[in-house]
Amino acid sequence: ANAPTDETANDNLTSATANISTSPSTDKDENDNDNDDDTTDEAVTSEDEDDEEEDDGPREKLLVDYASKLAGAQILEKSPSLKGASNLLTGDIDRYAIAPCQDKKLYVVVGLSEDILVKQIKLSNYERYSSHVREFQILASQEYPAPTAEYWADLGVYEAKSKSGEQAFELKEPAWARYLKFRFLSHYGKEHYCTV
């Protein structure tokens, strides 16, 4: 739900976090191997040995936050009562989005920095004196504004734990998306305000 900056509010909706495997690149021109110079052959052999050693080890996972303001994501639409929605796109744990919990239509639409295969969503909440999101629905679209409701694919309803900090949610079915809509359906606690 991690997609600018309002004043009051805090939570990191590090919405769409995609996992990317990285490994050393060994792209070479085919013409490089045709060179008869012995030193070139040794260098190529040496690089191949290094690549074999690195392939034996574990591969790093690079997490890219496509719902980050720094990556180019933005908030496109939100509930009128939701204040500080742009804080959902920052990594600052002291800033959050806030709304009265009695508002039954709490939602936000995040424009991701690019089209991605969304596999995981992260929500964070560090505010102690507010109610926290319990159930939320994620919808995805390739177009915005979507011409009709059918353009929003339902990615499921998820339940957050009643705790502070970051929580990761693996999508039941990864989906391609450029735009994500989060509907906040219920909350924990009896505080007047809910934060994300």
Side-chain angles (χ1 to χ4, degrees), residues 116-121 136-141 152-158 170-177 179-182:
I116 62 165
L117 180 62
V118 182
K119 298 178 183 179
Q120 182 184 71
I121 302 295
F136 61 97
Q137 179 184 28
I138 306 169
L139 300 135
S141 178
W152 289 101
D154 187 354
L155 302 184
V157 174
Y158 299 85
E170 297 295 327
L171 294 188
K172 297 167 187 168
E173 184 75 29
W176 285 96
Y179 306 99
L180 293 176
K181 179 185 274 190
F182 295 86

Side-chain angles (χ1 to χ4, degrees), residues 14 23 34 78-79 84 88 97 136 141 166 179 181-183:
T14 310
S23 62
D34 294 337
K78 66 178 186 64
S79 302
L88 298 173
F136 61 97
S141 178
E166 185 177 90
Y179 306 99
K181 179 185 274 190
F182 295 86
R183 290 183 178 154

Side-chain angles (χ1 to χ4, degrees), residues 90-103:
T90 69
D92 187 350
I93 66 171
D94 294 324
R95 300 179 66 85
Y96 49 87
I98 188 170
C101 294
Q102 77 263 10
D103 188 345

